Amino acid sequence: MTMTTAPVQAEAEPADIRGRVADLRGIRAQALAGPSEKATAAQHAKGKLTARERIESLLDPGSFREVEQLRRHRASGFGLEAKRPYTDGVITGWGTVEGRTVFVYAHDFRIFGGALGEAHATKIHKIMDMALAAGAPLVSLNDGAGARIQEGVSALAGYGGIFQRNTRASGVIPQISVMLGPCAGGAAYSPALTDFVFMVRETSQMFITGPDVVKAVTGEEITQNGLGGADVHAETSGVCHFAYDDEETCIAEVRYLLSLLPQNNREAPPRVSAADPADRRSDVLLDLVPVDGNRPYDMARVIEEIVDDGEYLEVHERWAQNIICALGRLDGQVVGVVANQPQTLAGVLDIEASEKAARFVQMCDAFSIPIVTFLDVPGFLPGVDQEHGGIIRHGAKLLYAYCNATVPRISLIVRKAYGGAYIVMDSQSIGADLTYAWPTNEIAVMGADGAANVIFRRQIAESEDPDAMRRRMVKEYRAELMHPYYAAERGLVDDVIDPAETREVLIRSLGMLRTKHADLPSRKHGNPPQ
């Protein structure tokens, strides 16, 4: 039996394909343009970039590949069925930063105010899953009005999925939240679960309950920026790690931070060729630090003299300023620096400083970043407020973080290191791989004045000249137990070094420790102090 077929029209199929491609281009152009020129102008009038402009600023030119650009919501009611814009108010995809893959999602405030609905959330879930599977950093560009009220509980469930993924990715891939607009209610918890939070002054705010609710409940009147602006979170709450005046600077600093972080917890941080000689002497350090332990100085200048080209990125620069946490490089290798700052509160440890440093140490350990600790600490801050505020458990957070860290750890005692603060700040006894000291070091249970008053209390009280006796006992105690080589003689310090050679000593030591391997006991997870 012979079968006949209809004649094929050679020109019809290609013409139809071309027509469909033309339709696709029109739809894509609509998605790329956004809702309207008026909405774009309104965004720019607030000093804010659009979501796509932000992604272009973050990623290498031409590297962005969008996912689910044509996604639209399926909700109905309250007029939603008549408003089904492409992207559903969030742009998701991946690109590169300095050639390395980075995943990103950006709320589009022009569409539903960037509010999260079911389709919107599903897109975010997908890109988060992709980032975790690919082992690459995730950056969220946040500018949204919270849950989409018209979609009810479906929107709230969407946030739950984000929080779960934030937690699952914690310590596996770097997560960076960039706040470029409002973030209220439960939405604020996603940034709080990530590794770093960036904010822009005047245009970004974060709070659980807004000013209107605060006024209704407590009677307090406050502006949005006064309640949850960038400066509040950078200086008072500690929620924000970095705050900048404009979006362009903020996003540029996100790129810089990414250049210091590994792709995931299975890779080492990126290493670069260093033009700064590894054996460079820093004779200026001999004059930066006063021998007198009561005289303040700027520890930031010490760090600047030691790291490559004097460049480092300070984390939480304006919160808990009595301690410095920073990322820099030594001979091209990324290191985390934790240092007491004698210029603020004499460099004491208090509740906020302990929390700040503990989180930083945990982050460094999670992402295989060696930790260098500079000590000049007189102890923990005394006071009723500190004790009632839980300085014991907060200080224990820092102790736990150091004890739990398996990355290379080097501590340097610059000047004084007294009491429990000496132990907590990565002493040899809690696992520091190497401990060095300058000839200006004083390691003791407490300062010589306080120690003499306790030990020689009776002799001083019974002396004909108590002041002269006190001075004599202080001098005797210092000479006997606080001289620069006391700890070294007992093996608690590996070496006392020339301050000018600090850079070379640290670089050589880190080179030796590069292949360090340490295993923690088998366990589901620890139970750190809260």
Side-chain angles (χ1 to χ4, degrees), residues 48-68:
K48 297 161 67 174
L49 301 174
T50 65
R52 295 191 184 278
E53 289 169 342
R54 289 164 175 165
I55 291 173
E56 288 174 5
S57 297
L58 173 68
L59 301 177
D60 296 336
S63 69
F64 182 57
R65 182 68 182 175
E66 191 168 352
V67 175
E68 294 195 356

Side-chain angles (χ1 to χ4, degrees), residues 309-323:
D309 304 310
E311 293 183 0
Y312 62 90
L313 179 64
E314 187 169 350
V315 179
H316 269 145
E317 181 179 1
R318 296 164 60 199
W319 182 59
Q321 293 182 333
N322 41 322
I323 201 160

